[in-house]
Amino acid sequence: MAVLKLDRWNIAIGEGQPLVVIAGLNVLESEKLALDSAGHLKGVCAELGLPYIFKASFDKANRSSIASYRGPGLEEGLRILAKVKAEFEAPICTDLHTENQAEAVAEVADVVQIPAFLGRQTDLVVAAARATHRRGGWLHQKKSQNMAPWDAKHMVDKVREAIGGAQISVLCERGTTFGYNNLVVDMLGIEEMHKLGVPVTIDATHAVQLPGADPRTQGASTGGRREGVPIIAKAAIAAGADGVFLEFHPSPDDALCDGLSALPLAGARDLLATLKVLHEAVAPRRAA
């Protein structure tokens, strides 16, 4: 399996590497919240010796309702992310939704994320792959909710073909649609995606979503099972995931987007310490 590196940050992901933590906010709410959250998480990861990448979205374009909070938008959002990057010397992960955003996003984000709903949008994937590759970053590709793990091969192949055969893909498991308003995670899928020659992460936050099932809004927003996030994260790391994607908030019930799936920021250290131990226990077995 390929090991990918972010040379500027001395971070690598893949077999034999430390557990990579991609964590932060679901969506940018304010500059202060972004700085406070990044500082806390960077400190926790530094204490634990875990490579850290700050994540936050500047726009949540795939909302159930047109009235839902989406974020500050491209220009202001990238300004905040650039400030976080400079102040805490931390790489940035954020997602994009249209091909004309690719250059601006890749200029700030070291890890450009393709949302699960958009994983097969060829123009978007090609533009993001080319912009990211030129800057030495990673493309974090979320497996679609309706896709089998082995079918993610076509997502990876599309990127390689767009950039002359280079490998910059990290695949992300985030659950598969299971009937109505529910998702499940097949832990065997992590190894299936490893067979494609790429690192694999687990998005334990979005894996516990209940799409279109937030009782507070009569289905106009997404519900979630916050208590399931640590379960999914631990199971996936035990199954061999190379990195973990988590969303936190100082007060999840007050979050402006997907708060029911977010974890309290104060609990980050305990969970990440456990995930580190699990990853270190599993890594020698994988290498063998």
Side-chain angles (χ1 to χ4, degrees):
M1 182 187 69
V3 172
L4 298 185
K5 297 180 180 179
L6 290 176
D7 290 331
R8 172 182 174 184
W9 305 101
N10 194 29
I11 291 177
I13 188 170
E15 191 170 327
Q17 304 303 313
L19 178 70
V20 172
V21 177
I22 304 172
L25 302 166
N26 179 277
V27 62
L28 292 169
E29 297 181 16
S30 70
E31 180 180 301
K32 184 179 186 304
L33 180 59
L35 291 169
D36 290 349
S37 300
H40 182 84
L41 292 167
K42 173 74 183 287
V44 166
C45 288
E47 179 187 346
L48 295 173
L50 294 172
Y52 174 62
I53 299 168
F54 177 73
K55 181 271 166 183
S57 298
F58 57 81
D59 180 17
K60 302 296 290 187
N62 56 334
R63 298 298 84 194
S64 300
S65 167
I66 196 170
S68 296
Y69 178 74
R70 289 180 52 167
L74 179 68
E75 184 175 349
E76 174 64 4
L78 291 182
R79 184 195 67 79
I80 294 172
L81 291 173
K83 185 165 184 177
V84 170
K85 184 175 186 174
E87 186 156 327
F88 295 105
E89 296 186 345
I92 297 296
C93 173
T94 197
D95 38 13
L96 77 174
H97 299 88
T98 63
E99 55 266 30
N100 61 12
Q101 294 175 340
E103 293 294 333
V105 170
E107 192 64 35
V108 173
D110 307 88
V111 180
V112 175
Q113 184 165 279
I114 304 291
F117 285 126
L118 301 177
R120 295 179 66 182
Q121 295 295 106
T122 298
D123 290 344
L124 172 65
V125 171
V126 169
R130 289 174 176 167
T132 303
H133 180 52
R134 280 195 294 272
R135 294 165 176 83
W138 300 343
L139 200 64
H140 195 230
Q141 296 176 265
K142 290 194 176 182
K143 180 183 72 64
S144 174
Q145 297 93 326
N146 62 357
M147 183 181 292
W150 40 88
D151 288 338
K153 174 183 186 300
H154 305 297
M155 296 168 57
V156 174
D157 287 348
K158 188 178 291 185
V159 170
R160 286 177 173 152
E161 290 164 8
I163 56 175
Q167 158 57 8
I168 63 169
S169 294
V170 178
L171 287 176
C172 179
E173 172 58 61
R174 53 93 70 232
T176 301
T177 299
F178 184 71
Y180 297 120
N181 306 120
N182 197 13
L183 298 168
V184 297
V185 178
D186 176 8
M187 295 301 168
L188 298 179
I190 292 172
E191 183 55 31
E192 290 295 330
M193 288 192 285
H194 271 143
K195 292 176 182 177
L196 303 178
V198 298
V200 178
T201 63
I202 178 66
D203 177 354
T205 295
H206 291 89
V208 302
Q209 283 185 329
L210 299 171
D214 185 346
R216 303 172 302 178
T217 61
Q218 292 75 52
S221 57
T222 293
R225 297 160 290 186
R226 184 182 303 141
E227 67 280 1
V229 174
I231 297 170
I232 295 293
K234 288 183 281 189
I237 299 306
D242 305 293
V244 62
F245 178 104
L246 297 164
E247 291 176 346
F248 294 91
H249 196 282
S251 179
D253 288 336
D254 297 319
L256 297 182
C257 184
D258 286 352
L260 294 178
S261 300
L263 293 175
L265 187 62
R269 190 196 182 285
D270 287 347
L271 176 57
L272 291 174
T274 299
L275 297 181
K276 178 183 178 180
V277 171
L278 282 171
H279 184 265
E280 290 175 346
V282 170
R285 188 168 74 243
R286 281 189 60 206

